[in-house]
Amino acid sequence: MKKIIYILIIYFIAGFNYLNSEEKVLKFIAIGHIYPIIDDVKIMEKLINKINSHQPDFVFILGDSKLHDLKYLNMFKSRINSKIFFSPGNHELRKFKKRYEKNVGYLNTVIKTKNIKFLLINSSDNVENIKNFLKKNLDDNSNSYNVILTHHRIWDDTL
């Protein structure tokens, strides 16, 4: 049976610890929809300091965070002291899809660790493409977890 963890994080920071077989704690933080605060230097400084204080293994930025703009993308990459990955939001894709793809390099991606597979999905894609990506990349191994990260709720039929 597949072990799947669905995580929806749009407006807040969340951390998740997973104790793997080597007794090492894997920590990640997922944030998104931060475009309303991204130009406030003081707030962003506090946010980045808070993220770095947790010393996560991974940071996932899940869209609507001006990821199409190299200024912000480089700020995240240079200031966050963790491996960082991105998932596009509707704000990036509505007008800036080509710039987002050029700057980030992907719309969907998979990050594998020993026991966890993180699937970052472009939730603005059509349902068939999302289903195909999931079918291709979900792991049936009972000793591992699949963590799906995306900007939107992928089960919402109104999108």
Side-chain angles (χ1 to χ4, degrees), residues 5 8 13 17 20 23 30-31 35-36 39 55 65 83 85 92 100 104 114-117 121 151 155:
I5 301 171
L8 167 69
I13 298 175
N17 293 334
N20 70 21
E23 303 299 319
I31 62 173
Y35 74 90
D39 289 313
Q55 299 178 326
S65 303
K83 293 178 186 171
F85 297 95
E92 284 90 9
Y100 173 90
V104 172
K114 183 175 179 178
N115 294 16
I116 300 176
K117 185 185 283 188
I121 299 174
H151 179 69
W155 60 88

Side-chain angles (χ1 to χ4, degrees), residues 29 49 69 122 124 127:
I29 294 175
N49 288 340
D69 190 325
N122 168 17
S124 295
V127 173

Side-chain angles (χ1 to χ4, degrees), residues 62-135:
L62 306 178
D64 287 4
S65 303
K66 296 188 177 183
L67 301 173
H68 60 281
D69 190 325
L70 273 177
K71 170 186 168 184
Y72 299 103
L73 199 66
N74 289 335
M75 182 266 302
F76 289 128
K77 288 180 176 182
S78 68
R79 306 268 324 281
I80 293 176
N81 302 327
S82 304
K83 293 178 186 171
I84 187 167
F85 297 95
F86 307 94
S87 180
N90 52 295
H91 287 206
E92 284 90 9
L93 297 177
R94 187 176 299 135
K95 295 181 183 177
F96 308 107
K97 182 178 180 182
K98 288 184 188 218
R99 281 182 28 199
Y100 173 90
E101 282 185 285
K102 179 182 177 200
N103 295 342
V104 172
Y106 56 83
L107 291 173
N108 300 303
T109 195
V110 176
I111 297 91
K112 297 178 187 178
T113 68
K114 183 175 179 178
N115 294 16
I116 300 176
K117 185 185 283 188
F118 295 98
L119 294 93
L120 278 78
I121 299 174
N122 168 17
S123 58
S124 295
D125 204 349
N126 69 56
V127 173
E128 203 56 41
N129 287 345
I130 292 171
K131 284 181 182 179
N132 288 337
F133 181 80
L134 290 172
K135 285 177 188 174

Side-chain angles (χ1 to χ4, degrees), residues 9-14 28-34 37 44 47-48 51 59-65 67 76 80 84-85 87 149-151:
I9 302 161
I10 295 177
Y11 294 105
F12 54 88
I13 298 175
F28 72 87
I29 294 175
I31 62 173
H33 209 274
I34 60 172
I37 64 166
M44 287 304 296
L47 176 63
I48 290 170
I51 290 169
V59 173
F60 301 104
I61 300 181
L62 306 178
D64 287 4
S65 303
L67 301 173
F76 289 128
I80 293 176
I84 187 167
F85 297 95
S87 180
L149 297 160
T150 185
H151 179 69

